[in-house]
Amino acid sequence: MAMITRMGAFARRSWRWLRVPFWVALGLGVGFLLPYTLILNKRVQDRFNDLVFAVPTRVYARPLELAPGVPMSPAALELELTFAGYTRDGAGKVPGTWTHSGSRYVISSRGYAGPDGGELPKRIRVTLGQGQVESVVDAGSGAPLEVAHLDPARIATVYGAQQEERRIVRLADVPPLLVTGLQAVEDRDFKHHIGLDFTAILRAAFANLRAGHTVQGGSTLTQQLVRNLFLDRSQNLVRKFNEALLSLLIEAHYSKDRILEAYINEVFLGQQGSQAVHGFAAGAEFYFGRRLEDLRPQEIALLVGMVKGPSYYDPRRFPERALARRNLVLKEFYDTGLLDANQVNAAQAAPLDIAPNAQLPHNRFPAFMDLVRAQITSDFDDETLSKGNLSIFTTLDPAAQLYAEQAVSTALKGLGKRGEKVQAAGVVTDADTGSVLAVVGSRTPGDTGFNRALDARRPIGSLVKPFVYLVALTDPSRWNLATLLDDSPIMLRQPNGTTWMPQNDDNQSHGQVPMVDALAHSWNLATIHLGLAVGVQRVKAFLESFGFTDINPSPSMLIGAVDLSPFQVAQLYQYLASDGHALPLLAVRGVVDGSGHTIKRYEVEGGKGEYQQAVRLVTWAMQQVAEYGTAHSLGSSSLSWLNAAGKTGTSNDMRDSWFAGFTGKHLAVFWMGRDDNKPTTLFGATGGLRAWQELFRRLPTRPLSASPGEGLEMAWINPTDGKRTQPGCEGARQFPVVAGSLPADTEGCFWQQIGNLFSGDGSTPAPATSTLP
């Protein structure tokens, strides 16, 4: 009792001295610490919610199809594999790896889910030969496969305001060795502390005092997560206080698994230029070119070890440090029973195996991405794309895109000083489907500036001519490729009273010429006479049917006074390449949400086709352009086997150089010109055609058939009267015509031979050949 009395008296005496500090502390607690804690608490909850929902949209190329008969070269296949993040090893057994011996490739695919369903991972053996895939078999069973697809390369990420790269993974999908190993190295008491590990703090303080400098840290994984999410790297008491308080709040709100999952997705592991690498999944791709679930123990150990200092232990810059750190972490795995002695010895003996070309996907192809955004804008707004956790599957062909960029660079370099101020653009599509495979918007790959492929509308010159001829050929009773056209001078009065007197490029007129020759040589006068006979308004209406506006209604339109972008030209020529099917050019295949469900599919169903017989006649005539016309350098080159159909285009004063051409598999359009619209001194054949040729020297493709196509027949015709004749008759030439459009009667050479006798020429005419001049 006396003790209690004395203690009460002591408390009363002490209260006189303690009451001021007590009330001050209570005031600070109620007036500052409690509101401050509530503010931090809301910040913690908001940030964690962002970690769940703010997943940026990823953009993918098309899956690579491997099937017998698909055009493919070793160089193109290896480029595709590298770009998709596959790495070459000695066996090709780990998903995401490949190896080869000669023309036989063994590939372990990773599988994927896309708008068309996707595929499971498989190990396949692909044999190449003669510019195509010869066979695809299951590498395990040897059973032949009709088709296999490799998972598509990621080509871009639609970010928010920050340039950070993450691969969001769920804890259940993380390799168990990474989960347990991370705790063993960074925070062994993670499952038991409250966000602060006081034992570890004391242990670290003692070790640091004994060493005289910092040798050990006492931070928990929760504290490290707080630093990544909320704090800067300054060292002061305020930051330490905030770190401790935030750690306690996180532990109070979230389970250990939720905290660990956030850490695994958030931890900083390096830098790619201005792009920060966050999370172990992104680190696996950045350093090893493989998915997190495919990593080996030594690779997991390196990533765990790099948590201590991503820059200091950067395996590309400091491989010795990284190797030593990795092996130390492997020893920790052994000490904690995560790996046995044999596993650790094998892992420590392994090289770092850092993939030399591995990198995080970034917006490598901005011109193509401009088209993607334009085509999905009506369905997805910017906020949805930035935070919607979507996957956009596009039609981009990485090999076609890279080869098109190289083609532009090589062609411009070959021009020497003439090419220094010349800009360029190009579009490559699938000839059958209209899928956009590549877009080049500038002479500089990756240029994010003005996209000339989509936005530069320039005069297309003679690229318009095939469509003038097409409109005429829709009336086979009146017109065919043997019909003689008038290539004589013409003078027309303009609405403003001036006189228009167009000329051919050679400043010559050529009299009466067969239609196919007029197109092959791109003679302006013959084309104008034909267009006037057909009707300028009919040609204008046909062009406008493709959605083009502001088409010049004057006769100058017939020889190229039409302003279109390279993309619009590709849309126009797609009609020819796809055999008379007006297919819209699509760059997006579909959009998938974060759960793998397809929420939007972009598809085009081709109809029966229109004016196909006329289209096939024009296609055959355009093959003659490459054979003996303005693009004869193509027919006389190593690419002659393609039987390509094409057309050169040159605008007034040689300001624009164009070439549009297609094979049996691909359509490509190239433009060259100057942004200031000054002359380039380039014709279509010396500018755009050179880029086209450079592309198809690299890009695997399929030749265009040399036969005229269904519904047509080859006929020997006397161009002077348009009637069937015999092959041996003088001047006879073979042309494709619409089957049944000419009378079956054939005029012989009798009267021709009689005429020769009276003219004093008794020689027998040499038989004509089917080869055009």
Side-chain angles (χ1 to χ4, degrees), residues 94-121:
V94 178
T97 64
W98 63 277
T99 188
H100 84 107
S101 176
S103 60
R104 179 171 293 181
Y105 289 76
V106 176
I107 305 169
S108 288
S109 70
R110 294 177 292 215
Y112 71 98
D116 301 321
E119 284 191 14
L120 295 172

Side-chain angles (χ1 to χ4, degrees), residues 411-413 415-423 443 680 682:
L412 288 175
K413 185 178 180 180
L415 295 175
K417 289 186 177 181
R418 285 195 302 167
E420 289 180 356
K421 295 184 179 181
V422 174
Q423 268 293 349
R443 63 178 293 156
T680 63
L682 297 174

